Amino acid sequence: MSEENENPVYRKINVPTQYRQAAKILQQVSEGKSLKDLVYNNKHIRVGTTIAMLNKIQANERQLDQIIGKTDILQKIPNKYLATYLVAELIFGRGELSGFSKPVECVRSYHDQLKEALLDLGEAPKLHTNLYHKVPRYVRLNTLLMKKAEAMEYFEREGWRYIENTFETYEEFLESVRNLDDESYLSDFHIKNLFVFPPSSKKYFASNELAAEGKFLLQDKASCLPSFLLNPPHKSTVLDMCSAPGNKTTHLAAMMKNKGKIYAVEMNTRRYNTLVEMTQATNATIIQTINRDVLEIKDEDVPNVEYILLDPSCSGSGIANRSMSDTHKDLSRLYKLSGLQFKLLSHAMISFPNVTRIVYSTCSIYPEENEEVVMSCLSKIGNFRLVNAGEILNNKWKNYGNEKSYPGIGQNVLYASNDDDCSDLTNGFFVAVLEKFDGLNEFYLQKQQNISAFSEKFGKRKTEVTGEENPDENNEKPVKKKKKWINKCYQ
């Protein structure tokens, strides 16, 4: 036997090109790029097969998240996009994988466990989704610089056709949006001066001259809801606690017709500069920008505040082009974020005596940042209550909070959804509306009742030895000096 045969050379087996290229496309789609463009411009993959499978992955994203989470596949395959594609091919596709590379063999070894996890979910996989093209291009007209009639004349000159229709139901409107062709647009069902264009128009508006001049704001509908629901009248005083980049702040200024006062606070210097640029570009003259930590802002710094908008830093889990990259909750980060959100909302409710209405919103779909923050604040501060946000929209909305898990909260708060089953054709979003009133809310009363019951049961318990009540109550204990809380959660 020759020496060559005695010492064979083992070569690394590469992942098949189809899988590598499809995983690369999956990653680029998660960053907001067009699925169709990526697939059709790639010469190394099977177009029909790849589009079908990537559609299926997007349609079953949550299921895949749960299924993969029950294994340690991601610990063995660092490229999560490759792992996701291989798992989807195995359990949603052909049921088998090609080749003998290490990632392929790894996923193949989990075949039975993955199938069992799929059965445990009790849900049949969806066949496809239109997530990559279903969110249209929303364009908010800046009425401080341009009238609606002027904007529509401009669109007509540019070759756009306006669909004029009075929709009786919200579902009729959504169906019309889904069926928009590449040359048509319409007005939004809820938000005044918000236009809806087809997804194919996104490149057009990205380089549009009027958008560059601040006359058009490229703002998702869900992001317009907080200002719309706050609805401050002309000449009122508003505090926007976390203002940058300024879309919601300038929306408020337009709603108020530049009459009144808006204090716009942003702590981060870079984001503050962006806020200043936007307020100047949009001619929002009633906005006074403040480069400070809003937790240090007191009533005397922003006198006579009546309305507060709070859209704090959050996980961003509702944003469509992040949905594939955030496949697992970062519980540690959520804990820190919800702590900051609680401090900010509590500050809004306590520190400004003239406030009558507060809107709290996030671009998150996680209840830890939404219902739980609102419930915690209402339990602590009694003289605020939730307003039914759906009623403000004349009950013409599809998605609300979870009333079963958060009774008294869920039915009163809104979610905007990009889920296929109940889509609002927007990014994911959460909005709660709170108002000050003379009574005490149910969550505060329940907490006080619980405290009283606990005190009655344990606070005056006699000791078996002395028979005295609370023998240590007069023994003074040294008071620990509290450390000043440092805000490290701003993004």
Side-chain angles (χ1 to χ4, degrees):
M1 183 178 292
S2 67
E3 183 178 346
E4 182 180 352
N5 290 333
E6 290 177 357
N7 299 286
V9 177
Y10 294 99
R11 295 182 179 180
K12 177 182 177 182
I13 301 176
N14 293 325
V15 175
T17 301
Q18 171 70 20
Y19 298 154
R20 285 190 288 107
Q21 293 296 320
K24 183 178 179 181
I25 290 173
L26 185 59
Q27 179 176 359
Q28 291 173 313
V29 169
S30 77
E31 295 166 355
K33 297 181 180 179
S34 167
L35 172 58
K36 278 188 175 180
D37 289 346
L38 292 169
V39 172
Y40 285 114
N41 291 330
N42 192 307
K43 299 178 181 180
H44 305 288
I45 58 174
R46 298 185 295 276
V47 173
T49 301
T50 305
I51 285 183
M53 180 50 63
L54 291 176
N55 264 330
K56 199 169 288 188
I57 289 172
Q58 290 182 317
N60 297 278
E61 179 189 345
R62 292 181 183 176
Q63 286 179 292
L64 282 167
D65 176 19
Q66 294 174 321
I67 291 168
I68 295 173
K70 292 184 177 182
T71 72
D72 57 356
I73 288 176
L74 292 178
Q75 297 175 18
K76 298 179 179 180
I77 305 177
N79 186 334
K80 61 184 175 183
Y81 301 101
L82 177 60
T84 299
Y85 191 88
L86 293 174
V87 169
E89 182 69 73
L90 189 63
I91 63 175
F92 295 150
R94 296 185 302 137
E96 59 183 8
L97 297 173
S98 302
F100 299 94
S101 63
K102 283 187 177 181
V104 168
E105 291 280 47
C106 173
V107 172
R108 189 182 282 138
S109 69
Y110 284 90
H111 180 273
D112 293 341
Q113 187 176 344
L114 292 169
K115 285 287 188 180
E116 184 178 346
L118 176 62
L119 290 174
D120 289 343
L121 290 180
E123 300 177 32
K126 303 171 189 175
L127 297 180
H128 62 83
T129 181
N130 293 320
L131 179 60
Y132 65 92
H133 67 74
K134 77 177 181 179
V135 178
R137 171 78 277 171
Y138 291 96
V139 178
R140 179 170 65 80
L141 173 64
N142 179 13
T143 53
L144 300 178
L145 292 176
M146 194 176 199
K147 295 180 180 179
K148 187 172 184 178
E150 294 174 334
M152 295 182 70
E153 288 173 5
Y154 169 82
F155 292 139
E156 185 176 358
R157 291 196 303 272
E158 289 287 295
W160 292 100
R161 180 172 59 87
Y162 181 66
I163 298 176
E164 190 166 0
N165 201 336
T166 302
F167 301 102
E168 293 185 4
T169 66
Y170 181 39
E171 188 54 53
E172 287 180 8
F173 163 76
L174 292 174
E175 188 61 27
S176 293
V177 175
R178 293 187 192 99
N179 294 325
L180 277 176
D181 60 42
D182 289 341
E183 298 177 351
S184 302
Y185 76 105
L186 45 75
S187 295
D188 184 66
F189 187 78
H190 298 102
I191 311 293
K192 189 177 180 181
N193 298 316
L194 183 67
F195 297 116
V196 190
F197 287 81
S200 59
S201 68
K202 292 185 178 182
K203 289 184 179 179
Y204 166 81
F205 279 106
S207 57
N208 181 271
E209 57 183 351
L210 297 190
E213 294 173 6
K215 294 177 180 178
F216 297 152
L217 284 301
L218 308 184
Q219 183 176 1
D220 187 78
K221 175 179 178 175
S223 177
C224 296
L225 285 173
S227 301
F228 179 78
L229 293 172
L230 186 63
N231 194 27
H234 306 162
K235 299 183 180 181
S236 55
T237 303
V238 180
L239 170 63
D240 188 347
M241 296 179 68
C242 304
S243 298
N247 283 324
K248 300 177 186 67
T249 323
T250 55
H251 188 192
L252 288 167
M255 291 174 62
M256 296 166 64
K257 297 185 177 180
N258 257 349
K259 296 178 181 179
K261 187 75 171 181
I262 299 175
Y263 296 104
V265 183
E266 175 57 48
M267 183 178 75
N268 181 280
T269 302
R270 179 180 57 81
R271 289 171 58 82
Y272 173 78
N273 291 334
T274 302
L275 171 66
V276 172
E277 290 174 6
M278 177 168 280
T279 58
Q280 293 173 348
T282 54
N283 191 39
T285 57
I286 63 171
I287 296 176
Q288 177 182 329
T289 57
I290 302 172
N291 187 198
R292 289 177 59 186
D293 182 347
V294 73
L295 289 171
E296 297 177 356
I297 297 291
K298 300 178 181 178
D299 181 55
E300 53 265 31
D301 300 316
V302 288
N304 304 315
V305 166
E306 305 160 273
Y307 297 85
I308 294 179
L309 177 60
L310 173 58
D311 187 78
S313 296
C314 72
S315 65
S317 56
I319 298 177
N321 61 10
R322 295 186 193 175
S323 60
M324 293 302 295
S325 58
D326 269 344
T327 53
H328 294 280
K329 283 186 182 181
D330 184 339
L331 295 180
S332 175
R333 183 167 182 255
L334 276 182
Y335 177 77
K336 293 177 181 178
L337 285 169
S338 62
L340 171 62
Q341 292 153 357
F342 172 80
K343 286 179 180 291
L344 288 167
L345 184 54
S346 297
H347 183 57
M349 297 166 73
I350 293 172
S351 302
F352 307 98
N354 294 317
V355 68
T356 59
R357 173 171 284 197
I358 299 171
V359 166
Y360 172 75
S361 63
T362 73
C363 54
S364 170
I365 58 174
Y366 296 145
E368 293 91 337
E369 301 179 87
N370 300 332
E371 290 99 328
E372 292 185 14
V373 170
V374 171
M375 185 165 62
S376 296
C377 288
L378 289 174
S379 298
K380 176 184 176 182
I381 303 159
N383 62 334
F384 277 85
R385 64 185 174 191
L386 275 174
V387 176
N388 189 309
E391 291 182 359
I392 301 176
L393 300 178
N394 297 317
N395 294 316
K396 294 181 178 180
W397 194 251
K398 296 181 70 172
N399 296 287
Y400 296 86
N402 190 328
E403 180 65 17
K404 183 176 180 180
S405 299
Y406 304 98
I409 300 284
Q411 64 184 354
N412 292 308
V413 298
L414 296 183
Y415 274 91
S417 173
N418 58 20
D419 191 309
D420 258 10
D421 293 334
C422 52
S423 178
D424 297 295
L425 302 180
T426 69
N427 283 315
F429 220 83
F430 169 84
V431 189
V433 183
L434 301 96
E435 68 175 9
K436 185 180 285 185
F437 74 123
D438 292 332
L440 296 173
N441 70 65
E442 59 182 299
F443 306 99
Y444 178 84
L445 291 172
Q446 182 61 55
K447 182 177 180 180
Q448 296 305 310
Q449 182 179 340
N450 293 342
I451 292 173
S452 297
F454 182 87
S455 298
E456 184 177 344
K457 185 174 183 180
F458 298 104
K460 297 182 179 181
R461 186 173 58 185
K462 294 183 179 181
T463 65
E464 296 180 359
V465 178
T466 64
E468 296 177 355
E469 295 182 357
N470 299 328
D472 295 329
E473 67 179 337
N474 294 321
N475 295 339
E476 295 185 1
K477 296 181 179 180
V479 179
K480 293 183 179 180
K481 186 177 181 181
K482 291 185 177 180
K483 293 182 179 180
K484 183 179 179 181
W485 184 80
I486 301 175
N487 183 355
K488 298 181 179 179
C489 292
Y490 281 112
Q491 295 180 331

